[in-house]
Amino acid sequence: MTVVVPQSTPLYARNLLEREGAAVIVHGAVWAQANELAQSLLDATTAFLHPFDNPLLWSGHATLIDEVVRSGAQFDGVILSVGGGGLLSGVAEGMERNGLANLPIIAVETEGADCLARALAAGQNIPMAAITSVATSLGANKVAEHAFELARSRDVRSVVVSDLEALIACEQFLHDHRVLVEPACGASLAVVYSRQRRRALDGIESPLVVVCGGATATLEMNREWRAAAEKTAAPIEASA
């Protein structure tokens, strides 16, 4: 198995892939450049697994909603992070087949990895020139076309948070639940933990938060990123 990743992929994440037996190739500054190389390696005997623009993956993500519904948990909205839009596409599919397509989805990105928010603002699915967020797991420079169309046709509310907000949320979640997540997940959690961002939940009383993504960061890395972000960030309104 060969995995092609961009230079923005942390060394820790690359090492994890290698431990699983993958041959890791680092190429390009952004995911799109890594993807171009991966495509060039294909031949008649090679299978290509896209990390987010793949209906099979969407169906897998959709089972998250199946499981929550089977558990009997009640929710009136879903909060999730968006990178390339695979999770968004899958969750929307799961909500559709469980009769929940009318519920809002809060689609959260970090500044510098906010391709969906920028595409929605522009009215077309345009790519970003560069990824500048520490949330590299959200680092697709262009969202999947299917996800973009979903965001325009369903009640999908785009929210963009800062890296610092995401990192603070990661530490707060670790304190509350003893689970370490990476900044990509902290983006979604920031909507719950930040008093300012909680305004995006107007009309939602019991949100379901998709908590995922903890393999590519350590507490030390998160704290280093937070210290760097605090030097340039504007003051953040305290959580209640």
Side-chain angles (χ1 to χ4, degrees):
M1 176 176 64
T2 299
V3 181
V4 185
V5 299
Q7 295 163 1
S8 58
T9 304
L11 180 60
Y12 183 77
R14 301 177 205 172
N15 291 339
L16 287 176
L17 290 170
E18 290 175 340
R19 288 179 202 168
E20 294 297 322
V24 178
I25 299 174
V26 181
H27 177 79
V30 296
W31 177 85
Q33 293 170 336
N35 184 55
E36 286 179 8
L37 177 61
Q39 295 285 350
S40 74
L41 300 176
L42 297 179
D43 56 32
T45 63
T46 304
F48 174 68
L49 301 179
H50 198 289
F52 56 83
D53 197 358
N54 185 326
L56 182 61
L57 293 180
W58 305 339
S59 294
H61 294 321
T63 62
L64 294 171
I65 301 300
D66 296 338
E67 292 177 19
V68 173
V69 170
R70 281 200 302 269
S71 75
Q74 300 294 313
F75 59 96
D76 57 356
V78 179
I79 305 172
L80 52 77
S81 298
V82 175
L87 181 61
L88 169 61
S89 298
V91 166
E93 179 183 317
M95 294 170 70
E96 178 79 36
R97 70 178 177 222
N98 283 282
L100 303 171
N102 62 309
L103 298 184
I105 299 174
I106 310 300
V108 194
E109 301 169 283
T110 50
E111 297 168 3
D114 50 338
C115 59
L116 176 61
R118 297 188 189 204
L120 291 173
Q124 54 183 322
N125 196 9
I126 55 175
M128 293 178 60
I131 305 299
T132 58
S133 171
V134 299
T136 54
S137 296
L138 304 182
N141 69 330
K142 185 179 180 181
V143 72
E145 196 65 35
H146 180 70
F148 177 63
E149 293 304 327
L150 273 173
R152 298 207 297 176
S153 61
R154 295 271 291 269
D155 186 2
V156 175
R157 307 173 189 178
S158 175
V159 177
V160 179
V161 305
S162 68
D163 280 347
L164 181 55
E165 288 174 301
L167 291 162
I168 289 173
C170 288
E171 287 206 36
Q172 186 63 53
F173 190 74
L174 177 62
H175 179 269
D176 290 345
H177 298 282
R178 302 298 188 268
V179 174
L180 177 64
V181 296
E182 62 187 83
C185 179
S188 290
L189 296 172
V191 175
V192 178
Y193 282 123
S194 167
R195 182 182 301 165
Q196 177 184 356
R197 299 302 178 182
R198 229 175 284 157
R199 296 164 189 160
L201 300 179
D202 286 350
I204 301 175
E205 298 295 331
S206 302
L208 169 68
V209 186
V210 180
V211 178
C212 64
T216 63
T218 64
L219 179 58
E220 291 74 20
M221 291 167 62
N222 277 6
R223 286 181 170 169
E224 286 178 12
W225 289 329
R226 176 173 175 174
E230 285 175 336
K231 294 178 181 178
T232 58
I236 294 176
E237 190 175 349
S239 301

